Amino acid sequence: MKTDYKIFESSKDGRRLLREEAPILEVVEELSGALSAANISKTELALRLGKTKGFVSQILSGGRNLTLRTIASVSDAMGYAPHFQLRKDYQSQML
């Protein structure tokens, strides 16, 4: 099922909801990609973090609220450092 994001973008509340969800998806994709690139299993990552495999699965599915500390800790356990960047959204000024 394809979602029409223009519907969300057309209202202030919808746009805010997208802005809340988009970074979660980006972070989960980045963490999953790094895990794969580093050739680390979920079990190994869990061991490195001192957490359960279930915890790692929740993180990688987006089912767990990720704090910046958690993102930094998971990244470090894989040999990566997180990076954060804001970009100006010119569409937001239109509403």
Side-chain angles (χ1 to χ4, degrees), residues 21 24-25 28 56-66:
E21 296 299 322
I24 295 167
L25 180 59
V28 168
V56 171
S57 292
Q58 286 179 337
I59 288 172
L60 297 177
S61 70
R64 186 166 196 91
N65 189 13
L66 296 172

Side-chain angles (χ1 to χ4, degrees), residues 22-88:
I24 295 167
L25 180 59
E26 287 180 37
V27 168
V28 168
E29 287 177 347
E30 285 292 323
L31 291 176
S32 294
L35 189 67
S36 179
N39 201 28
I40 299 171
S41 69
K42 291 179 186 177
T43 302
E44 175 62 25
L45 181 58
L47 288 170
R48 292 181 185 191
L49 293 167
K51 303 285 185 181
T52 66
K53 185 179 173 188
F55 174 84
V56 171
S57 292
Q58 286 179 337
I59 288 172
L60 297 177
S61 70
R64 186 166 196 91
N65 189 13
L66 296 172
T67 65
L68 293 175
R69 284 186 174 86
T70 300
I71 294 166
S73 179
V74 171
S75 299
D76 183 67
M78 296 187 294
Y80 289 84
H83 175 76
F84 180 78
Q85 181 181 20
L86 291 176
R87 294 181 299 265
K88 187 69 177 161

